[in-house]
Amino acid sequence: MMLRIRSRDGLERVKVENPNGTKVSELKTIIQKQLGIPTHNQTLSTNQNLLLAKSIEDLIRFNDMSNPNTPISALNLSHGSIVFLAYEGERRVPGPTAFSPAGSFGRKMTMDDLIAKQMRVSRQENPHCELVSFDRDCANAFQHYVNETLAFAVKRGGFMYGTVSEEGKVEVNFIYEPPQQGLEENLLFFRDPEEEKIVEAIAIGLGMRRVGFIFTQTVSQDKKDYTLSYREVLQAAEYHAESGLKEWVTAVVKLEVNEEMGGADVHFEAFQISDVCIRLFKEGWFVTEIKEDHDPKLSIMKKDVVVGVKDTKEVDNDFFLVVVKIADHQGPLSTAFPVENRNTQVTMKALKNHLERTKNLPFVKRISDFHLLLVLARVLDLASDVPALAECVQAQGAVPEGYQILIESMASAA
């Protein structure tokens, strides 16, 4: 089994030979052998907030992996899962490419060899995604919240779900908004693995999958001279790399102020992060600790790359962006139900109000809303009930009477 280890140095991988029998103490030993970090210096957690800890007192709070005898199988870790690592001290992180020295102690390097060993960064002309089409209601619900409630003062983001055609066309039919904190120039996702399992179960039942990452830029960012900031490139590359989907789309929503006309318009833009950027990210080339005086339109490398004819550690972010055409469509779902993880907690009272408001519609239409299904899925069986309901919605078929009675009783109890 392969586990991804996220630390202040970026994303690395370790190989676990016997995942079912491995304990936390043994995982620490594996990390020591493969990454060179002494076991006594390691603090591990499945909670990404570990990387924000500033003191020993902060670290102690992350105790889900503090018991050395806990089997990692009990932590819901599977192939590809991310474990967060904080450690004391310094270490040398190996570079992405190892060179054999030239001369009498190694093979003599030709000019072709030297060129082949260098990482070249150039613009990618064509995206793997031919077109991204947004469901009008879901796109409007997202932009309306950030415009009317947040006033584009802080960032907001989510994961886009939908379908990918054989021709590379992506259709976005709903947006899941994880627990998060939006700042003026930074967006922190506090990802909840249990909630994401429910989201994935609903998506599979609907015949959909995660297809991209969407986020907003704030009004203050509109005054900056970049398309995406370095933080945004890193975050977009992380989620793209995690997905393994070559058609993965990164969408940006921004408010563009027209000073001459005295108004402002909401704009959607779509990109793919280039293949070379994803490779650089996976191989750990990016400097991930961003200094306060850093120019946000530049990406910083740990070692020189070749841009044009120049060796440099600084790359204009635009080199990593591939523009994707945008369209819209009317998808199969509605977006009338309150959205999760916003300022107001969604309760069963919202379900009651929604069912009363839509009582003249067929029952399957009344529940054809991802955000409503997410509320129901928190109390239904994830293995059987959630897929069955989602499949009814996908097929727009009759909802079994037992589910109707159960859902209505849940609403009436509010």
Side-chain angles (χ1 to χ4, degrees):
M1 180 173 79
M2 182 273 289
L3 288 177
R4 293 181 289 177
I5 307 297
R6 185 70 187 270
S7 72
R8 69 192 190 211
D9 302 318
L11 200 63
E12 299 173 90
R13 291 167 173 75
V14 296
K15 187 175 181 182
V16 180
E17 295 291 351
N18 179 24
N20 292 327
T22 300
K23 299 176 182 178
V24 169
S25 60
E26 293 164 326
L27 175 59
K28 286 188 172 185
T29 301
I30 291 169
I31 292 171
Q32 176 175 284
K33 288 180 180 176
Q34 296 184 25
L35 302 184
I37 302 169
T39 56
H40 62 273
N41 284 349
Q42 299 176 28
T43 301
L44 301 179
S45 178
T46 57
N47 187 335
Q48 66 179 3
N49 293 334
L50 173 69
L51 301 184
L52 302 177
K54 302 294 185 186
S55 65
I56 293 175
E57 289 75 19
D58 290 340
L59 290 173
I60 292 171
R61 291 191 293 111
F62 299 91
N63 55 14
D64 57 323
M65 296 181 71
S66 60
N67 184 344
N69 294 317
T70 300
I72 64 171
S73 56
L75 298 166
N76 293 323
L77 297 177
S78 57
H79 182 77
S81 292
I82 297 180
V83 174
F84 297 91
L85 162 67
Y87 68 92
E88 297 176 15
E90 300 292 333
R91 68 172 178 133
R92 183 181 176 127
V93 181
T97 309
F99 284 83
S100 297
S104 58
F105 294 101
R107 184 173 66 86
K108 188 172 182 179
M109 302 288 286
T110 66
M111 183 58 70
D112 287 341
D113 289 331
L114 284 169
I115 291 172
K117 288 288 186 183
Q118 290 175 317
M119 177 62 80
R120 307 187 74 82
V121 176
S122 58
R123 294 184 189 274
Q124 181 176 321
E125 295 300 325
N126 299 310
H128 299 292
C129 172
E130 177 194 301
L131 171 82
V132 59
S133 182
F134 289 89
D135 171 77
R136 286 186 284 273
D137 291 341
C138 109
N140 185 59
F142 184 76
Q143 70 86 16
H144 186 268
Y145 177 69
V146 297
N147 192 9
E148 298 296 323
T149 304
L150 303 181
F152 281 93
V154 294
K155 295 171 75 67
R156 185 78 187 168
F159 290 118
M160 304 186 292
Y161 282 78
T163 58
V164 183
S165 73
E166 290 183 3
E167 299 78 30
K169 178 183 175 182
V170 171
E171 283 197 354
V172 176
N173 289 316
F174 71 83
I175 297 169
Y176 160 64
E177 298 177 22
Q180 59 191 274
Q181 181 182 4
L183 305 173
E184 202 171 343
E185 295 191 5
N186 202 3
L187 176 64
L188 303 173
F189 276 0
F190 305 116
R191 295 176 66 178
D192 181 344
E194 291 305 311
E195 187 169 86
E196 290 192 24
K197 281 181 188 174
I198 297 172
V199 174
E200 292 299 320
I202 296 170
I204 290 169
L206 293 171
M208 300 180 195
R209 62 164 297 162
R210 191 179 291 183
V211 295
F213 168 50
I214 185 169
F215 66 92
T216 62
Q217 290 184 333
T218 59
V219 176
S220 64
Q221 286 183 285
D222 186 47
K223 301 183 178 82
K224 307 290 177 67
D225 61 342
Y226 55 73
T227 309
L228 263 64
S229 73
Y230 183 32
R231 288 184 191 276
E232 291 166 347
V233 168
L234 286 175
Q235 191 170 23
E238 177 186 351
Y239 297 147
H240 188 148
E242 178 187 308
S243 76
L245 178 67
K246 74 177 191 297
E247 296 90 355
W248 180 269
V249 175
T250 296
V252 186
V253 185
K254 58 175 70 173
L255 190 70
E256 293 192 348
V257 179
N258 188 329
E259 294 179 356
E260 290 183 7
M261 302 293 291
D265 298 310
V266 177
H267 284 270
F268 280 68
E269 295 178 355
F271 305 94
Q272 282 204 283
I273 305 301
S274 70
D275 296 346
V276 72
C277 181
I278 298 303
R279 179 184 167 189
L280 288 166
F281 182 83
K282 286 181 175 180
E283 295 180 3
W285 286 68
F286 287 98
V287 173
T288 53
E289 290 189 6
I290 302 172
K291 297 178 181 177
E292 284 189 18
D293 61 349
H294 169 68
D295 184 344
K297 70 174 180 289
L298 297 176
S299 294
I300 309 301
M301 303 292 131
K302 293 177 182 175
K303 56 185 289 186
D304 281 348
V305 296
V306 182
V307 180
V309 296
K310 184 174 73 170
D311 288 0
T312 181
K313 289 188 174 72
E314 296 183 343
V315 181
D316 189 307
N317 299 335
D318 284 356
F319 272 90
F320 296 136
L321 305 180
V322 191
V323 176
V324 176
K325 292 182 289 188
I326 292 182
D328 63 6
H329 67 276
Q330 192 64 52
L333 303 174
S334 67
T335 314
F337 195 78
V339 176
E340 64 285 342
N341 300 316
R342 290 185 174 176
N343 291 338
T344 305
Q345 186 175 2
V346 182
T347 64
M348 287 300 169
K349 184 73 183 295
L351 176 63
K352 181 179 181 180
N353 293 339
H354 177 85
L355 292 180
E356 287 177 353
R357 193 169 58 248
T358 57
K359 59 187 176 185
N360 294 326
L361 296 174
F363 197 84
V364 70
K365 289 287 186 188
R366 298 165 77 187
I367 65 167
S368 293
D369 188 311
F370 160 73
H371 308 288
L372 181 148
L373 291 172
L374 183 56
V375 168
L376 296 179
R378 296 185 198 280
V379 293
L380 296 177
D381 183 76
L382 192 60
S384 57
D385 297 335
V386 174
L389 267 183
E391 285 164 14
C392 287
V393 170
Q394 183 194 19
Q396 287 295 290
V399 178
E401 185 180 4
Y403 283 128
Q404 293 190 38
I405 294 170
L406 177 61
I407 293 167
E408 286 173 340
S409 67
M410 288 161 59
S412 61

